[in-house]
Amino acid sequence: MTEAISLSDLTKRFGEQTALDRVSLRIPAGTVVGLLGPNGAGKTTLINCLTTLLQPDGGTIEVLGHDPATDPSLVRANIAVTGQFAALDEQINPRENLVFFGRLLGLGKGEAQQRAGEMLERFELGEAAYTPVGYLSGGMRRRLDLAVSLVVPRPVLVLDEPTTGLDPRSRKLLWEMVRAEAARGVAVLLTTQYLEEADQLADRIVVIDKGRVLADGSSDQLKRDVGGLMCRLTLTSAADARAALLALGELPGVSAEGEKVAVPMARPEDVGGVLGLLEGKGLRIADIEVTKPTLDEVFFAFTEPSQAPGTSETSQAPGNSVKGAAR
Amino acid sequence: MTVQSPGPLAPTASPSPSPSPDPTTLAGASVIIAGRVIRQFVRNRMMLIVTIAFPLLQLFMLLAAFSVLVQDTQGVDYVRRLAPLIVLTTAFSSILTTAIALWSDIRSGVFNRLRAMPLDMRAYVFGRIGGDFVRIMGVAVLVTLVAHTVGFRFSNGPLAVLGFFGIVALFGMMCSALAVAVALVAQHPGIIVRYVQMPTLVMTLMSSGYVPLEAFPGWIQPVVSVNPVSLAAGALAGLSHEGALTVPVLGTVAWTLGVTAVCTVVATRRFALLVKRG
Ligand SMILES: Nc1ncnc2c1ncn2[C@@H]1O[C@H](COP(=O)(O)OP(=O)(O)OP(=O)(O)O)[C@@H](O)[C@H]1O
Ligand SMILES: [Mg+2]
């Protein structure tokens, strides 16, 4: 079976700068792939190439077997896309936006009206249906933008930072919508800055930076490679923190700074052992926090080897579950 | 802390329309896009004021100020001369606003969304020009009706009325085509202001519209008489009331078709580049 999306060695240059450097990516139907990367990583460029808005300089793209270079309209007919920035007509209202784009996509007048009503309800925009888009809040616009993209369902869904600017409730709404689409067999590619989001949604996460794929794997694989959880303890004094450091000396990677101590952990249950060791020394804990690696930490882990060419490959290098790292 | 998901999100309730509707035809899409242009115009209070209220205000003020004076010296009712000119200037002065609106529209997200849709993008240009043309004609009819209340009359029968609006239509088509071409060529809106605002104003003032040809100094009269605004205003005056017809009508047809043709070629080329962009 052909993959829904298949990119190989995709390359795009802007003058001297290489925005995409031999990026390969495969997304089967019914899966969600999260594209994770810092500003300027090339996420939007990748999406623009995929959605026929940009012409790549090298490599191949296939969307359900169609090549954007030779069959742009077939590619367009199969992709629903929400760009990074709002693509709405500000002067007309949400309902009219939905009807306008729906009709351009081939819906009849009545069908477009009906579909607009459904989408307004689904994205909780009913109350704003007749307010000009220019007056809507940022989050409402974002939701409308997504609603417009979905007004005619397509087998491929591409979302560029869909939850930027959304409140937690709307974010949940979107996540559930993405899951529902994937469950229907839609192939979803979404970019994000939030590891948490990729974690929640994506079957596979692709980390890119400076146009290169640094890691490609499931969320669990990625986290294992980055170092699992971090237990952050605050003690009552710096002296206590030093004592704690001694007490925890057996565990790898423990560090102390002021009255704070950070302990890397493989599993959440390990927190019991850490607390036991400290209690044994009679140390009082003012605050405790267990966090997942932050996006920073993921990038740090994955970008380190390439940033310091001199350092040995083994230091913090992602494990072998991660392909394409440090090419 | 959990957020309730509303029912319609469940995958089973996956909603109605046929999975992939047939894409719209070029004509169908053009009409839909023209509808958007007209809707935007009707919703935009600023545009309504600039394109309708200002010309009407101008009509009333000039009538009040000069009517008596001009009637005395020329023996012609000033409104017969003024109304056609106001109809033309509404179209002429809208080139600037239309071009700027178009300039920002093709840089907006909407345009990129359209580019990513299975759509013949020529529909965008046809729709813009079509919608703009309908708007120009609507305003022309409105201004003519208002002018009617202050004494403007058609005195040459229904065929001449048709001819009158035919000339307005040609002129309007030229204005839409100019606006589109300018918007597509300009690198930034400042250029549009610089190359559209002054020329349109000068051409309006240097026409035999407000003032008869004989009132201009002799050396500039040739320029004034080939000015498309003079020719079209003359044709309109002739069709609605009295005056020479052959030269103004043929002159207007030549100007409008010529400018429209050139603008179409320029716009088509620029637009193809723009759609491909990247
Ligand atoms: N049209 C363009 N012309 C020149 N350079 C460009 C263009 N588009 C993108 N770039 C450059 O390509 C690189 C990748 O940009 P891109 O927009 O794809 O990043 P991104 O991952 O989407 O970032 P962000 O998270 O900020 O949206 C950047 O360095 C950017 O400056
Ligand atoms: Mg981006």
Side-chain angles (χ1 to χ4, degrees):
Chain A
M1 205 204 101
T2 50
E3 308 267 3
I5 299 177
S6 146
L7 312 176
S8 65
D9 289 330
L10 186 65
T11 300
K12 175 73 193 175
R13 279 179 284 271
F14 294 110
E16 293 286 275
Q17 190 192 5
T18 305
L20 291 175
D21 189 1
R22 286 167 294 139
V23 172
S24 299
L25 189 66
R26 242 158 264 285
I27 309 180
T31 38
V32 180
V33 168
L35 196 59
L36 198 62
N39 293 145
K43 305 183 293 296
T44 300
T45 305
L46 186 146
I47 283 178
N48 286 346
C49 290
L50 183 64
T51 55
T52 74
L53 296 181
L54 271 180
Q55 223 135 26
D57 296 310
T60 56
I61 304 177
E62 272 188 21
V63 176
L64 295 163
H66 306 298
D67 179 353
T70 54
D71 268 333
S73 46
L74 277 175
V75 171
R76 291 176 192 141
N78 282 301
I79 301 188
V81 54
T82 305
Q84 182 169 2
F85 305 105
L88 298 167
D89 187 331
E90 305 252 313
Q91 292 165 57
I92 59 180
N93 66 42
R95 178 177 281 277
E96 290 165 333
N97 266 282
L98 286 161
V99 171
F100 172 69
F101 287 107
R103 294 206 61 203
L104 280 180
L105 287 169
L107 298 181
K109 218 173 202 161
E111 214 179 353
Q113 290 282 359
Q114 187 206 334
R115 189 72 184 141
E118 288 171 13
M119 297 312 282
L120 288 169
E121 194 182 322
R122 195 171 164 200
F123 284 87
E124 303 183 348
L125 286 163
E127 279 168 31
Y130 297 101
T131 310
V133 171
Y135 297 140
L136 294 186
S137 79
M140 286 169 140
R141 271 181 221 215
R142 197 68 194 134
R143 273 184 278 153
L144 178 61
D145 212 19
L146 293 158
V148 166
S149 309
L150 291 167
V151 74
V152 172
R154 303 289 194 196
V156 174
L157 176 61
V158 175
L159 307 169
D160 198 353
E161 299 193 21
T163 56
T164 303
L166 290 187
D167 64 20
R169 181 185 164 76
S170 306
R171 182 167 300 196
K172 269 256 167 46
L173 189 77
L174 177 92
W175 286 359
E176 289 180 29
M177 185 227 62
V178 169
R179 288 193 192 107
E181 292 296 307
R184 293 198 306 124
V186 173
V188 184
L189 173 64
L190 63 88
T191 75
T192 180
Q193 311 269 6
Y194 311 112
L195 185 62
E196 151 85 356
E197 180 161 296
D199 201 6
Q200 287 278 328
L201 279 180
D203 301 304
R204 235 176 64 228
I205 297 174
V206 176
V207 180
I208 67 167
D209 188 19
K210 304 194 180 83
R212 287 167 173 231
V213 174
L214 299 178
D216 181 346
S218 74
S219 151
D220 283 343
Q221 284 170 332
L222 270 174
K223 276 193 238 150
R224 221 177 301 134
D225 297 331
V226 173
L229 297 165
M230 193 67 91
C231 175
R232 297 171 211 278
L233 300 157
T234 308
L235 291 105
T236 45
S237 69
D240 272 12
R242 281 192 298 276
L245 190 61
L246 279 176
L248 300 168
E250 296 294 289
L251 306 173
V254 185
S255 62
E257 194 187 321
E259 49 213 40
K260 291 179 194 270
V261 177
V263 191
M265 304 187 308
R267 294 161 307 148
E269 302 90 88
D270 297 347
V271 76
V274 172
L275 293 180
L277 280 170
L278 296 182
E279 226 163 87
K281 297 283 172 201
L283 293 167
R284 226 166 58 75
I285 296 161
D287 192 17
I288 177 167
E289 197 183 9
V290 177
T291 56
K292 291 184 177 155
T294 62
L295 185 61
D296 283 348
E297 283 159 343
V298 171
F299 284 127
F300 186 71
F302 286 114
T303 55
E304 185 76 337
S306 62
Q307 277 177 350
T311 50
S312 92
E313 287 281 311
T314 50
S315 59
Q316 276 232 336
N320 23 359
S321 60
V322 175
K323 57 178 168 124
R327 262 190 220 188
Chain B
M1 194 33 233
T2 44
V3 179
Q4 300 257 304
S5 86
L9 280 176
T12 43
S14 194
S16 52
S18 49
S20 274
D22 288 335
T24 41
T25 58
L26 177 58
S30 304
V31 170
I32 296 167
I33 287 171
R36 168 177 176 246
V37 174
I38 294 164
R39 180 164 283 148
Q40 280 180 338
F41 171 67
V42 176
R43 294 288 162 80
N44 188 337
R45 215 164 288 154
M46 200 53 215
M47 273 293 274
L48 285 176
I49 291 173
V50 170
T51 50
I52 300 181
F54 281 180
L56 289 180
L57 205 65
Q58 198 187 12
L59 176 74
F60 291 132
M61 279 171 46
L62 286 174
L63 268 184
F66 296 118
S67 167
V68 181
L69 189 76
V70 179
Q71 196 165 10
D72 280 355
T73 54
Q74 299 282 314
V76 196
D77 201 347
Y78 190 46
V79 73
R80 306 247 188 205
R81 169 192 286 287
L82 189 59
L85 187 73
I86 298 287
V87 170
L88 294 178
T89 51
T90 55
F92 216 43
S93 60
S94 70
I95 297 176
L96 182 66
T97 41
T98 309
I100 290 177
L102 179 57
W103 189 91
S104 39
D105 199 44
I106 52 186
R107 280 155 187 83
S108 73
V110 173
F111 190 73
N112 265 350
R113 195 192 275 283
L114 296 177
R115 281 176 67 218
M117 287 177 20
L119 191 70
D120 186 337
M121 280 302 280
R122 286 176 300 168
Y124 182 83
V125 180
F126 295 152
R128 280 311 297 206
I129 293 183
D132 202 32
F133 179 72
V134 170
R135 175 184 66 77
I136 287 174
M137 292 310 284
V139 174
V141 170
L142 190 76
V143 171
T144 311
L145 285 176
V146 173
H148 204 267
T149 65
V150 290
F152 177 74
R153 291 291 179 274
F154 289 107
S155 44
N156 298 326
L159 218 62
V161 176
L162 269 185
F164 182 93
F165 285 106
I167 293 288
V168 175
L170 279 173
F171 199 81
M173 178 185 73
M174 176 182 79
C175 293
S176 311
L178 260 172
V180 171
V182 168
L184 289 174
V185 170
Q187 295 296 319
H188 60 91
I191 294 187
I192 301 179
V193 177
R194 191 169 337 136
Y195 289 99
V196 172
Q197 197 172 40
M198 275 314 277
T200 49
L201 187 63
V202 168
M203 281 174 77
T204 310
L205 294 178
M206 295 270 281
S207 76
S208 51
Y210 293 116
V211 188
L213 180 65
E214 306 79 52
F216 286 92
W219 59 271
I220 209 165
Q221 282 186 14
V223 179
V224 172
S225 59
V226 297
N227 180 343
V229 181
S230 304
L231 290 164
L236 293 185
L239 284 161
S240 60
H241 185 52
E242 61 182 18
L245 271 183
T246 323
V247 172
V249 169
L250 290 181
T252 308
V253 170
W255 262 113
T256 52
L257 292 186
V259 172
T260 304
V262 171
C263 288
T264 306
V265 172
V266 171
T268 317
R269 292 217 179 135
R270 296 291 305 190
F271 192 71
L273 281 179
L274 205 71
V275 169
K276 241 203 249 148
R277 185 172 54 188

